Amino acid sequence: MDHERNDITADIDLRPIVGLLSNESEHVIEILTVGAIKKHRTLVDRAERLFQIAHAGGRGVDKEPSEAHVAYLEATIEMHAQMSALTTLLNILGRTPKV
């Protein structure tokens, strides 16, 4: 990784991704970033669908969580974890590519 790219990514939490891509070309990073953007959109849609299902009947505070509610929480955690990776890729690339 050149010095300039390292400075740009100094505040990124996902250092393993920075290291993994340190010797990759901008073109490769752009391909990965576009894929991550598409995946994120899919994960957002999934979490939203599961939210609608999980909360269709309402849920009392003292009720046990339904399988649908737990599935929604898992989907949301996956979406946010992937967003961290996407943010790292965007910071490494230095721009938002056209998708």
Side-chain angles (χ1 to χ4, degrees):
M1 180 186 313
D2 62 15
H3 189 306
E4 180 181 337
R5 187 180 286 174
N6 194 31
D7 286 346
I8 291 170
T9 61
D11 61 343
I12 293 175
D13 291 333
L14 298 178
R15 301 299 297 170
I17 292 175
V18 174
L20 179 67
L21 301 179
S22 64
N23 293 318
E24 297 297 334
S25 69
E26 181 178 337
H27 180 67
V28 168
I29 295 168
E30 182 172 355
I31 290 169
L32 293 169
T33 305
V34 168
I37 290 168
K38 290 177 180 179
K39 180 171 184 135
H40 186 70
R41 290 175 180 170
T42 300
L43 292 172
V44 168
D45 289 343
R46 179 173 170 247
E48 178 61 30
R49 281 192 318 275
L50 289 170
F51 175 84
Q52 296 301 325
I53 292 167
H55 295 90
R59 179 176 161 265
V61 176
D62 54 348
K63 285 176 111 179
E64 285 293 317
S66 67
E67 287 182 30
H69 181 70
V70 172
Y72 154 70
L73 293 174
E74 289 173 338
T76 301
I77 290 167
E78 182 180 3
M79 176 194 65
H80 284 291
Q82 193 274 340
M83 183 65 202
S84 294
L86 172 56
T87 300
T88 299
L89 288 167
L90 288 166
N91 285 334
I92 293 169
L93 187 60
R95 60 186 170 80
T96 302
K98 291 184 181 182
V99 180

